[in-house]
């Protein structure tokens, strides 16, 4: 017997805990039992294990031995005075205040002005229209992309009314490929559904992006010559493919590649690369009967990422077996070619034993996160592997397939400095970020899971600000996956936080992950899940802040920038090559535009503050922020009224339109057409057009003009009041709601809360306010007061025993 310890973060900041359980390791979550059991049995087994595991909980502190906290208290949420049921309808009422089809800029069909292209200034535009173009979309995953035609049309109409102008096709290939065939072939049934959805999106002006590899299953025998092929493998997989769900993402037949292993194989194994190319060829060469165009030729397919989240740093230190052998062979071939002189090789590696000879393949793989000369050399090798992969794939797509979609890669997880050298060769740069992404405590993507339940405002907005440093000036920048995940209680701030940062940084596209993982959530309301917007009315409401701030352009981009300037050669010569690309002073992403400039002669402008990165100079370290702020003051780039005080963890953008006061846990967004923010109970949000008092429950509250006029002159406005939304019967293992045990079910419950909005309007006395259902339908008039050009609107979640979050102001 041994003690099994599972780390469990119980609170934000430095507070951590651990679960101790005297059980054999293999029996903690016995996968064979779980895999063969029903969902209800699985939950009972897991709950029983957790009940016996939670025997002691300790908190980390500066002292070696601190006091033990009280026992964890389980929490189950149910309807009552504090939690009100919410009526849900997925279809947005045409013409309602929630119909954003005319609020957001758009044209139809997608491709009307030719292909999406890049500009010299580093933004997206169209071949036949040079105006910079932004994109705000959602991901679709799994069976959510394979729908009957009528449902596909309903979904496309819905996405337009929600305000989106792009969709990312994701986790799609498993349903497209016919694995019973001897060659790469697409299934006719699912392909028809896929084609029809694409055409439906295109007709409505929705552009599409995707990755050429996400999670398609590939037999190991197709890649490794020494791996036995199972005669029934293809047939069995084809029969079970439609039953695959995101929850059993990691459940892979041992005869198939795991998703992570396949990504690593494509880089160094020619059979794997040929398989990767074979799918790209059959997909892009296919003519969609509903558009009469090959996918390679269709301008509605604006962008292609080669492989989803494929940065080798994500996986390389954990490689095993034949795949590790492949990488070691590639490493040794590279060493032998680059360093034919053994003395020079020894210098490059820092040490070379007598039994290590690259011509014999005997130099072992080092850690990519190691130290010293060997780590630098290994990072150079991995960079060269990525250079070659992108170059040969780009040549295939451009020359053989004649595909002109913009290309990118390496969009997730680890982001070492060296990756900026790789990204400098892409058409655009892409990355991902999450707040409260779940940590799965079993092999299933289901409870029990843990997350931080993080207040992103009290933390200073750190999650997305690091992502800002993936950007390379002179290239468009996108985030094709972001989310403030369920069931986090602060996710209502996510749309405003993301939209504000994306607009301030002048990014080019953001995609929420995900609208839905399955077709059922598109057909009818469903209980909240980790990611699905369709199943989470709170997140859907939060999106509208992001759409207004970023896609409509309510918030101005910063006029200046801080650019970390380097060249690929200088990056790869630095001892900091494996460090994170985001500096210690990444909070300045909320002050001004930030990113890297890469090139032999980085394009520095008068609006740039340039910081040189090289083997001799590393501006990523703490302390550089003072140099930056002093330079901004010297150049008079910040007005004297700017409230930034890093010692107090308060930062205000140079435009003064965004302020994050972390100690006060307050976000303020103050633009002409959208104003509001987040505040704790008892807090206040003060803007030019609105004064918002959050009375008794932490909330995100804002007002947006719907007619494009400044708030003070607008005749139609949307007011949103978001507290927290949970499922009925959702269960947590602790009072901080960081250990999720059971999702519960419908109806959704909204946390009761009150707030007051005082709006400065030119015709306040002529305003009427209506409460709205989540589909935009008016459900009642709200009593208001107006005096001296100020409209006072009381916001109350509880209304007749039901919940409300949305209000429409109509000025007659």
């Amino acid at each position: 017997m041994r003690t099994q310890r599972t780390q469990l973060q119980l609170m934000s900041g430095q507070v951590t805990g651990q679960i101790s359980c005297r059980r054999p390791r293999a029996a903690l979550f016995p996968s064979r039992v779980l895999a063969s059991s029903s969902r209800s049995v699985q939950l009972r087994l897991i709950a029983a294990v957790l009940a016996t595991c939670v025997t002691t909980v300790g908190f980390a502190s500066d002292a070696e031995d601190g006091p033990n906290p009280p026992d964890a208290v389980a929490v189950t949420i149910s309807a009552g005075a504090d939690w009100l049921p919410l009526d849900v309808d997925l279809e947005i009422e045409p013409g309602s205040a929630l119909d954003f089809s005319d609020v957001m800029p758009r044209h139809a069909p997608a491709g009307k002005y030719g292909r999406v292209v890049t500009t010299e200034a580093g933004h997206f535009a169209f071949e036949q229209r040079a105006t910079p173009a932004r994109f705000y979309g959602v991901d679709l995953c799994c069976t959510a992309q394979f729908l009957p035609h009528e449902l596909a049309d309903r979904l496309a109409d819905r996405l337009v009314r929600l305000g989106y102008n792009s969709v990312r096709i994701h986790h799609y290939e498993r349903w497209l490929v016919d694995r019973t065939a001897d060659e790469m072939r697409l299934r006719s049934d699912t392909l028809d559904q896929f084609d029809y959805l694409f055409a439906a999106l295109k007709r409505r002006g929705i552009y599409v992006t995707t990755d050429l590899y996400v999670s398609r299953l590939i037999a190991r025998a197709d890649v490794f010559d020494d791996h036995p092929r199972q005669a029934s493998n293809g047939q069995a997989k084809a029969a079970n493919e439609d039953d695959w769900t995101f929850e059993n993402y990691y459940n892979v037949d041992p005869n198939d590649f795991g998703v992570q292993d396949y990504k690593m194989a494509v880089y160094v194994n020619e059979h794997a690369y040929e398989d990767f190319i074979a799918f790209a060829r059959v997909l892009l060469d296919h003519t969609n009967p509903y558009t009469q165009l090959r996918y390679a030729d269709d301008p509605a397919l604006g962008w292609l990422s080669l492989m989803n989240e494929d940065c080798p740093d994500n996986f390389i230190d954990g490689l095993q077996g034949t795949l590790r052998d492949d990488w070691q062979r590639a490493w040794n071939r590279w060493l032998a070619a680059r360093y034919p002189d053994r003395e020079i090789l020894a210098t490059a590696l820092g040490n070379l034993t007598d039994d290590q000879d690259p011509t014999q393949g005997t130099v072992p793989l080092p850690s990519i996160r190691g130290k010293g000369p060997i780590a630098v050399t290994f990072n150079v090798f991995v960079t060269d592997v990525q250079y070659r992969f992108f170059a040969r794939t780009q040549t295939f797509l451009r020359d053989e397939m004649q595909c002109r979609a913009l290309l990118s890669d390496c969009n997730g997880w680890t982001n070492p400095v060296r990756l900026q050298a790789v990204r400098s060769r892409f058409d655009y740069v892409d990355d991902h970020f999450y707040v409260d992404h779940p940590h799965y405590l079993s092999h299933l993507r289901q409870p029990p899971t843990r997350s931080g339940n993080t207040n992103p405002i009290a933390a200073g907005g750190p999650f997305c600000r690091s992502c800002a440093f993936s950007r390379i000036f002179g290239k468009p920048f996108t985030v094709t996956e972001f989310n403030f995940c369920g069931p986090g209680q602060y996710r209502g701030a996510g749309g405003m936080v993301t939209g504000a940062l994306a607009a301030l940084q002048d990014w080019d596209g953001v995609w929420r992950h995900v609208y839905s993982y399955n077709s059922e959530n598109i057909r009818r309301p469903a209980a909240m899940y980790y990611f699905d917007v369709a199943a989470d009315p709170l997140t859907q409401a939060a999106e509208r802040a992001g759409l207004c701030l970023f896609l409509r352009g309510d918030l101005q981009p910063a006029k200046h920038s801080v650019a970390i300037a380097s060249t690929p050669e200088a990056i790869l010569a630095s001892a900091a090559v494996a460090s994170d690309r985001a500096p210690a002073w990444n909070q300045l992403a909320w002050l001004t535009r930030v990113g890297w400039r890469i090139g032999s002669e980085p394009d520095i402008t008068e609006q740039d503050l340039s910081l040189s990165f090289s083997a001799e100079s590393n501006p990523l370290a703490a302390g550089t922020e003072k140099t930056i702020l002093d330079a901004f003051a010297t150049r008079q780039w910040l007005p004297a009224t700017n409230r930034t005080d890093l010692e107090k963890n308060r930062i205000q953008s140079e435009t003064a339109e965004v302020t994050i006061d972390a100690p006060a846990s307050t976000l303020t967004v103050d633009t002409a057409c959208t104003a509001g923010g987040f505040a704790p109970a008892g807090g206040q949000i003060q803007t030019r057009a609105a004064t918002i008092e959050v009375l008794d429950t932490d909330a995100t509250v804002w007002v947006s003009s719907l007619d494009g006029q400044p708030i003070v002159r607008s005749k139609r406005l949307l007011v949103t009041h978001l507290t927290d939304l949970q499922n009925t019967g959702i269960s947590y293992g602790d009072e901080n709601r960081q250990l999720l045990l059971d999702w519960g079910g419908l109806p959704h419950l909204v946390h009761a809360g009150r707030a007051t909005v005082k709006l400065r309007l030119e015709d306040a006395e002529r305003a009427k306010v209506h409460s709205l259902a989540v589909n935009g339908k008016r459900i009642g008039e709200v009593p208001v007061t107006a005096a001296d050009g100020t409209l006072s609107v009381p916001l109350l979640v509880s209304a007749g025993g039901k919940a409300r979050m949305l209000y429409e102001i109509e000025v007659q």
Side-chain angles (χ1 to χ4, degrees):
M1 302 287 287
R2 66 166 64 183
T3 298
Q4 169 75 18
R5 293 186 179 271
T6 303
Q7 290 298 315
L8 172 63
Q9 185 173 332
L10 293 176
M11 298 179 66
S12 61
Q14 297 299 311
V15 185
T16 59
Q18 61 185 18
I19 298 173
S20 298
C21 173
R22 296 190 60 81
R23 283 182 176 270
R25 179 177 297 272
L28 183 61
F29 291 112
S31 59
R32 283 177 294 179
V33 175
L34 288 173
S36 62
S37 303
S38 67
R39 176 66 179 144
S40 61
V41 172
Q42 291 172 4
L43 284 173
R44 289 197 298 271
L45 284 168
I46 293 169
V49 170
L50 286 171
T52 58
C53 284
V54 185
T55 56
T56 62
V57 182
F59 287 76
S61 65
D62 292 335
E64 289 186 9
D65 297 310
N68 288 330
D71 291 340
V73 177
V75 173
T76 299
I77 294 176
S78 56
D82 291 334
W83 292 93
L84 289 305
L86 179 71
D87 292 333
V88 176
D89 184 345
L90 296 179
E91 305 302 339
I92 301 299
E93 192 87 2
S96 71
L98 301 187
D99 181 356
F100 270 37
S101 57
D102 293 326
V103 175
M104 295 298 114
R106 69 173 62 252
H107 62 259
K112 178 179 180 178
Y113 299 108
R115 276 210 171 271
V116 179
V117 297
T118 63
T119 69
E120 290 186 4
H123 293 294
F124 294 134
F126 299 102
E127 286 178 304
Q128 300 163 23
R129 192 165 75 172
T131 306
R134 287 178 176 176
F135 298 87
Y136 197 121
V138 281
D139 296 358
L140 292 175
C141 290
C142 307
T143 58
Q145 301 156 118
F146 300 96
L147 309 171
H149 292 187
E150 179 273 334
L151 186 57
D153 282 321
R154 280 173 50 199
L155 174 61
D157 285 337
R158 188 189 306 166
L159 294 177
V160 169
R161 292 188 185 119
L162 288 171
Y164 300 119
N165 67 349
S166 184
V167 158
R168 179 176 179 238
I169 299 297
H170 198 49
H171 288 295
Y172 65 105
E173 326 102 280
R174 293 194 183 200
W175 287 266
L176 275 182
V177 173
D178 180 359
R179 297 194 71 201
T180 65
D182 292 333
E183 59 183 7
M184 186 68 68
R185 189 170 66 193
L186 304 180
R187 291 171 49 179
S188 59
D189 54 346
T190 52
L191 181 59
D192 177 76
Q193 294 175 320
F194 185 86
D195 287 341
Y196 190 87
L197 176 62
F198 184 97
L201 296 171
K202 177 179 179 176
R203 283 196 301 273
R204 292 160 176 85
I206 295 178
Y207 287 81
V208 173
T209 180
T210 192
D211 306 80
L212 292 176
Y213 177 78
V214 187
S215 54
R216 178 170 56 89
L217 292 176
I218 297 96
R220 287 184 175 270
D222 289 339
V223 173
F224 297 136
D225 294 333
D226 61 349
H227 195 90
R229 177 177 296 279
Q230 302 298 313
S232 61
N233 185 56
Q235 294 288 347
K237 284 298 174 185
N240 294 328
E241 203 64 61
D242 292 334
D243 298 327
W244 185 87
T245 63
F246 186 67
E247 286 80 0
N248 58 22
Y249 180 83
Y250 290 119
N251 283 359
V252 177
D253 188 297
N255 295 301
D256 285 331
F257 266 103
V259 171
Q260 299 171 359
D261 282 354
Y262 180 77
K263 296 173 189 176
M264 293 300 288
V266 168
Y267 280 120
V268 296
N269 184 292
E270 196 61 24
H271 292 317
Y273 183 77
E274 289 171 358
D275 176 87
F276 167 76
I277 289 298
F279 174 77
R281 181 182 291 110
V282 74
L283 175 69
L284 295 174
D285 205 35
H286 168 68
T287 297
N288 184 335
Y290 302 103
T291 64
Q292 296 298 306
L293 289 173
R294 292 189 316 147
Y295 280 112
D297 300 327
D298 201 319
L301 182 61
W303 316 264
L304 287 172
S305 173
L306 303 191
M307 293 195 291
N308 177 58
E309 296 182 338
D310 62 329
C311 180
D313 305 57
N314 297 343
F315 319 113
I316 197 165
D317 283 349
L319 294 179
Q320 297 178 352
T322 308
L323 183 54
R324 186 176 184 86
D325 294 342
D326 277 352
W327 270 88
Q328 182 162 324
R329 281 190 287 270
W331 163 238
N332 278 266
R333 287 194 300 268
W334 183 84
L335 288 174
R338 190 179 182 94
Y339 303 105
D341 184 285
R342 188 170 176 84
E343 184 175 340
I344 297 176
L345 173 62
T347 300
L349 299 182
N351 184 40
L352 188 65
T353 62
D354 291 342
D355 61 344
Q356 293 178 351
D357 181 353
T359 64
Q360 301 301 313
T362 55
V363 180
L365 286 180
S367 170
I368 201 162
R369 294 170 179 84
K371 302 294 183 183
I374 191 171
V376 174
T377 300
F378 190 58
N379 273 272
V380 175
F381 157 69
V382 174
T383 301
D384 275 356
V385 168
Q386 291 186 271
Y387 282 163
R388 179 175 183 269
F389 168 66
F390 184 79
R392 69 189 302 208
T393 307
Q394 183 183 48
T395 298
F396 160 75
L397 293 171
R398 295 283 188 258
D399 295 350
E400 180 178 336
M401 299 308 302
Q402 295 294 300
C403 178
R404 293 166 53 211
L406 299 177
L407 304 179
S408 189
D409 199 25
C410 299
N411 52 14
W413 300 18
T414 51
N415 279 282
V417 167
R418 67 160 198 85
L419 201 57
Q420 299 305 89
V422 179
R423 285 170 164 155
S424 70
R425 302 191 175 195
F426 301 165
D427 294 329
Y428 67 102
V429 177
D430 184 34
D431 204 1
H432 299 163
F433 79 84
Y434 289 87
V435 176
D436 282 342
H437 193 290
H439 296 267
Y440 307 101
L441 301 182
S442 78
H443 72 297
L444 299 174
R445 291 198 168 193
Q446 295 176 346
T449 55
R450 61 177 174 87
S451 62
N453 196 18
T454 305
N455 180 337
I457 310 306
F463 308 95
C464 44
R465 73 191 192 199
S466 295
C467 185
F469 287 87
S470 295
R471 179 240 225 111
I472 295 177
F473 287 112
K475 292 182 180 293
F477 181 70
T478 65
V479 176
T480 51
E481 284 187 31
F482 82 92
N483 209 337
F484 290 66
C485 302
Q489 71 184 89
Y490 302 101
R491 66 192 187 280
M496 180 162 280
V497 168
T498 305
L501 186 69
L504 179 70
Q505 291 297 324
D506 203 12
W507 291 349
D508 300 280
V510 293
W511 283 259
R512 173 83 71 158
H513 183 84
V514 56
Y515 185 73
S516 180
Y517 268 104
N518 61 68
S519 59
E520 288 304 308
N521 289 0
I522 291 173
R523 288 185 172 89
R524 59 184 65 88
M528 172 187 59
Y529 183 63
Y530 302 112
F531 308 108
D532 294 36
V533 174
D536 186 0
L538 186 87
T539 293
Q540 182 168 295
E543 284 282 75
R544 297 186 181 99
L547 285 158
C548 289
L549 293 171
F550 175 68
L551 186 57
R552 189 170 67 175
D554 288 2
L555 194 143
Q556 305 172 62
K559 294 180 180 179
H560 305 100
S561 66
V562 177
I564 304 169
S566 193
T567 66
E569 295 77 17
I571 286 174
L572 297 177
S574 171
V577 66
S579 61
D580 195 277
R581 86 299 190 202
W585 40 270
N586 59 71
Q587 69 268 39
L588 294 189
W590 286 109
L591 176 78
T592 191
R593 290 181 296 121
V594 296
W596 288 69
R597 286 197 185 277
I598 308 295
S600 56
E601 295 182 3
D603 183 18
I604 306 300
T605 72
E606 292 182 357
Q607 307 302 316
D608 274 339
L609 175 62
S610 179
L611 305 173
S612 177
F613 179 94
S614 67
E616 295 77 30
S617 175
N618 182 359
L620 305 182
T624 307
E625 62 271 22
K626 185 178 185 305
T627 302
I628 294 170
L629 291 177
D630 287 347
F632 267 57
T634 300
R635 300 181 187 195
Q636 298 183 331
W637 287 355
L638 281 184
T641 55
N642 188 277
R643 299 181 59 213
T644 296
D645 188 332
L646 297 186
E647 291 185 359
K648 295 181 179 179
N649 203 5
R650 182 179 66 232
I651 193 159
Q652 184 176 62
S653 67
E654 62 169 289
T655 63
E657 290 186 328
V658 185
T659 305
I660 295 182
D661 189 336
S665 187
T666 302
L667 165 71
T668 303
V669 173
D670 187 4
T671 79
C673 295
T674 293
F678 172 89
Q684 186 182 86
I685 303 164
Q686 183 67 57
T687 72
R688 289 166 294 175
T691 298
I692 299 168
E693 295 181 359
V694 176
L695 301 177
D696 53 14
T697 301
D698 299 359
T700 304
V701 185
W702 76 91
V703 56
S704 286
S705 160
L706 295 178
D707 56 10
Q709 294 297 311
I711 290 170
V712 294
R713 296 199 300 272
S714 178
K715 302 301 182 184
R716 195 182 194 195
L717 304 106
L718 175 66
V719 179
T720 304
H721 176 213
L722 303 180
T723 55
D724 184 17
L725 180 147
Q726 300 286 310
N727 295 330
T728 296
I730 194 170
S731 178
Y732 297 92
D734 65 305
E735 58 188 339
N736 294 315
R737 289 166 46 187
Q738 294 175 323
L739 176 61
L740 176 65
L741 298 180
D742 196 315
W743 275 113
L746 293 175
H748 299 106
L749 302 176
V750 181
H751 195 187
R754 296 175 301 139
T756 300
V757 175
K758 294 181 180 179
L759 279 176
R760 285 165 279 288
L761 299 176
E762 288 185 353
D763 298 305
E765 292 77 10
R766 295 167 55 189
K768 286 187 176 182
V769 179
H770 308 273
S771 60
L772 302 176
V774 296
N775 66 353
K777 185 176 181 180
R778 293 175 177 177
I779 55 177
E781 189 169 336
V782 178
V784 297
T785 59
D788 301 324
T790 298
L791 179 71
S792 183
V793 183
L795 308 180
L796 184 66
V797 169
S798 179
K802 294 292 183 72
R804 60 185 181 185
M805 306 184 296
L806 304 161
Y807 304 81
E808 177 186 359
I809 299 176
E810 183 182 32
V811 181
Q812 299 176 335

